[in-house]
Amino acid sequence: MKPFTALTLPNGTVVPNRLAKAAMEENMADNDHAPSDELIRLYQSWADGGVGLMITGNVMIDRRAMTGPGGVVLESDEFGARFEQWSRTARSRGAHIWMQINHPGRQMPAALGQETIAPSVVPMGLGNLSKQFSAPRAMTEADIADVKQRFVNSARLAERFGFTGVQIHAAHGYLISQFLSPLTNQRTDRWGGSLENRARLLVDVVNEVRQAVGKGFAVAVKLNSADFQKGGFSSDDAKQVVSMLNTLGVDLIELSGGSYEAPAMHGQTRDGRTLAREAYFLEFAKDIATVANMPIMVTGGIRRYQVVQQVLDSGIAMAGMGTALALDPQLPEAWRSNQAASPLLRAITWKNKVLSSIAYMAMVKYQLRRLSQGKHTRPNVAPALALLIQQWDTAIRNRQYRRRMHSGF
């Protein structure tokens, strides 16, 4: 299978090639938490670059529950025209555009000033950085029912506004991932304990979303191949969850890994040049794919054509890229004539893994901002500079968010 071979999904729709823009958190909403002109311009660059599939940065299902300020929220049809423009732009060259829908659970910054909910009262464990997150309140049955309804509502609206699918975020330590992990889910009711109970929220959300949208609208899931924390969600757990999803009409599962506490999704930030295997979740994915009835996509560190080919040759259906496309949105088109193209972000040599991960995300967001402004990227930006810019921008946006929420926005 070649990277530019089309992929037919279980629902019968066809993705034009096997190259996907994986979700990255852009934080480029306008003051209404709708897609901004800058965000739409960013997606035009990826549409022009030739990917077959774009998965949006996480779109929040509840404006009270954000991964950070400046996030897009889809709760109603109030700003439908902006979402329609976003989807139309992304589809302008024939690619699919799936909206990633998400709830942060306990991974919501305390600076946003909102109540934090989670499966259980388990605070974040980030050492000196833990204070940046409030201890969560354990969710009630009413909370769980509300979250499920919100996932379904956002999916319906995404379909109405021209997106070709949704991806339900059940990875990276966000709310559904928190239910899946025995470290963060210590409940003793029907939502905790056995893996079947811990997976109940994901299964219910997938079921209800699938029933609420049309057959031609893709329903995908992002799932951790593992949490990479002792006693957490394991690769064996992931295989069992995939088996549970096999009969629910899921069109694709993207496998990644890690969380804020164990940021494996960013791989080795110290020296990407010597990384022996860029696709660092591939071995997990190959094992998990043995039980999957739907196509599998793997994301994590991919930036070279040869590695994409390695992924596809292993039986994985799609290769997802984040950082590589933040650095060079034209990469897929470039590969048609120059398979040696290989964008690389500056290495981070800091010893603190959590801080390195935060700096890595800041460096990626720095590139996204430049692309959204029509500028060239700067792969060699200093991590400290990118982090400082990001922290300043976040502080301003946090205040704006709190002010709007306090005024009843």
Side-chain angles (χ1 to χ4, degrees):
M1 198 66 63
K2 298 296 183 184
F4 293 101
T5 303
L7 171 66
T8 301
L9 300 175
N11 69 358
T13 60
V14 179
V15 180
N17 61 55
R18 305 302 179 104
L19 303 172
K21 192 235 31 118
M24 292 174 279
E25 190 173 32
E26 301 108 359
N27 295 114
M28 290 183 192
D30 63 17
N31 289 335
D32 298 314
H33 286 292
S36 65
D37 290 340
E38 290 78 15
L39 182 64
I40 293 168
R41 187 180 301 118
L42 177 62
Y43 276 75
Q44 184 69 68
S45 70
W46 285 318
D48 294 341
V51 291
L53 168 65
M54 282 168 264
I55 303 175
T56 71
N58 51 23
V59 172
M60 311 317 297
I61 61 173
D62 186 343
R63 73 183 64 193
R64 301 167 302 175
M66 308 286 290
T67 57
V72 175
V73 179
L74 183 56
E75 295 177 301
S76 72
D77 59 5
E78 184 176 3
F79 305 106
R82 300 293 294 163
F83 285 92
E84 288 175 345
Q85 185 179 359
W86 189 14
S87 68
R88 186 168 57 250
T89 297
R91 299 194 326 265
S92 61
R93 297 299 180 91
H96 284 243
I97 174 72
W98 295 354
M99 180 183 289
Q100 184 185 81
I101 50 179
N102 191 19
H103 188 294
R106 69 181 189 142
Q107 289 187 168
M108 180 168 65
L112 295 176
Q114 299 297 305
E115 181 185 46
T116 302
I117 60 174
S120 304
V121 184
V122 180
M124 296 286 288
L126 291 168
N128 293 334
L129 299 175
S130 298
K131 61 185 179 181
Q132 295 187 16
F133 298 88
S134 301
R137 169 178 66 78
M139 294 172 70
T140 64
E141 284 281 347
D143 293 324
I144 294 172
D146 179 65
V147 163
K148 286 198 292 182
Q149 184 275 329
R150 286 176 177 277
F151 270 105
V152 174
N153 180 57
S154 295
R156 280 199 189 105
L157 291 169
E159 181 178 32
R160 184 189 307 175
F161 297 145
F163 291 80
T164 58
V166 289
Q167 183 188 68
I168 297 162
H169 203 332
H172 295 175
Y174 295 118
L175 182 66
I176 296 180
S177 180
Q178 291 161 31
F179 270 89
L180 289 170
S181 172
L183 293 178
T184 47
N185 183 348
Q186 300 176 1
R187 303 176 72 99
T188 57
D189 59 6
R190 66 193 183 107
W191 304 100
S194 67
L195 180 59
E196 181 180 8
N197 283 354
R198 287 183 277 121
R200 190 182 305 278
L201 178 60
L202 173 60
V203 169
D204 283 2
V205 168
V206 169
N207 246 328
E208 293 176 27
V209 166
R210 181 74 276 173
Q211 292 171 21
V213 298
K215 181 182 177 182
F217 186 76
V219 176
V221 172
K222 186 165 190 171
L223 185 70
N224 272 0
S225 54
D227 283 349
F228 301 100
Q229 289 179 284
K230 186 177 181 180
F233 186 75
S234 68
S235 58
D236 286 339
D237 289 339
K239 289 176 72 172
Q240 292 182 60
V241 170
V242 169
S243 295
M244 295 178 196
L245 298 175
N246 273 336
T247 61
L248 303 184
V250 173
D251 292 293
L252 182 138
I253 290 179
E254 178 188 356
L255 292 172
S256 187
S259 66
Y260 286 10
E261 293 174 326
M265 59 278 202
H266 298 149
Q268 173 57 270
T269 59
R270 296 192 180 202
D271 192 357
R273 294 174 181 81
T274 61
L275 196 60
R277 177 168 44 83
E278 288 171 21
Y280 36 77
F281 297 120
L282 180 56
E283 295 306 316
F284 291 100
K286 286 164 60 178
D287 181 43
I288 294 168
T290 61
V291 301
N293 292 342
M294 70 289 285
I296 296 293
M297 168 177 155
V298 68
T299 299
I302 300 170
R303 61 183 177 84
R304 289 185 293 179
Y305 182 94
Q306 292 79 4
V307 176
V308 172
Q309 190 62 66
Q310 175 192 352
V311 168
L312 300 179
D313 288 344
S314 71
I316 303 301
M318 291 199 80
M321 296 177 289
T323 302
L325 291 173
L327 293 171
D328 183 3
Q330 303 297 314
L331 185 61
E333 197 60 37
W335 277 344
R336 291 184 182 274
S337 58
N338 177 21
Q339 295 177 4
S342 176
L344 182 64
L345 193 65
R346 178 173 174 169
I348 301 175
T349 58
W350 304 351
K351 293 182 180 180
N352 187 308
K353 291 183 179 181
V354 173
L355 194 58
S356 293
S357 175
I358 295 171
Y360 180 97
M361 290 189 288
M363 292 169 73
V364 173
K365 287 182 181 180
Y366 179 87
Q367 314 304 328
L368 298 179
R369 280 193 298 270
R370 291 186 66 84
L371 289 175
S372 75
Q373 297 164 358
K375 299 177 181 178
H376 293 295
T377 57
R378 290 180 57 194
N380 290 320
V381 62
L385 175 61
L387 184 56
L388 181 63
I389 293 171
Q390 179 64 35
Q391 288 179 327
W392 178 258
D393 180 69
T394 298
I396 294 172
R397 286 174 172 261
N398 281 340
R399 287 195 297 271
Q400 293 171 339
Y401 173 83
R402 290 195 303 268
R403 191 180 306 119
R404 287 198 299 270
M405 293 299 288
H406 183 71
S407 65
F409 165 76

